[in-house]
């Protein structure tokens, strides 16, 4: 998995988790509105932003799944 990090158990009952990747806290902005721009072009750019957000969500969910899998071993 592309996100590293350590999962260590420093003491009884304590668990230190890897930091959440910074990407997972970043918001993807809507596309910029340009006055006079054709709506079809605006929609295409907005869908591009949605694609970026969905890809990031997939990577963040993968990070979580990998971490959870390691905890349940």
């Amino acid at each position: 998995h592309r996100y590293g990090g350590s999962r260590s158990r420093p003491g009884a009952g304590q668990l230190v988790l890897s930091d959440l990747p910074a990407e997972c806290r970043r918001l993807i902005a809507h596309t910029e509105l340009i006055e006079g721009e054709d709506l079809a072009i605006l929609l295409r750019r907005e869908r591009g932003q949605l694609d970026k957000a969905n890809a990031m969500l997939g990577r963040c969910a993968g990070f979580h799944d990998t971490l959870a899998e390691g905890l349940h071993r």
Side-chain angles (χ1 to χ4, degrees):
H1 199 275
R2 81 179 227 160
Y3 295 115
S6 62
R7 287 175 233 109
S8 60
R9 296 193 168 111
Q14 283 188 312
L15 179 66
V16 177
L17 299 176
S18 299
D19 289 338
L20 187 65
E23 173 185 42
C24 296
R25 297 190 186 279
R26 192 177 78 224
L27 298 177
I28 302 292
H30 289 280
T31 194
E32 180 182 351
L33 295 175
I34 300 172
E35 189 174 334
E37 180 177 47
D38 183 77
L39 290 179
I41 294 171
L42 174 66
L43 180 59
R44 194 172 351 187
R45 290 191 303 116
E46 184 66 21
R47 289 188 59 100
Q49 291 298 93
L50 180 61
D51 290 343
K52 286 181 192 177
N54 285 338
M56 184 175 70
L57 178 64
R59 290 188 296 274
C60 293
F63 171 82
H64 174 271
D65 293 346
T66 299
L67 183 61
E69 181 183 312
L71 294 174
H72 293 133
R73 286 185 182 173

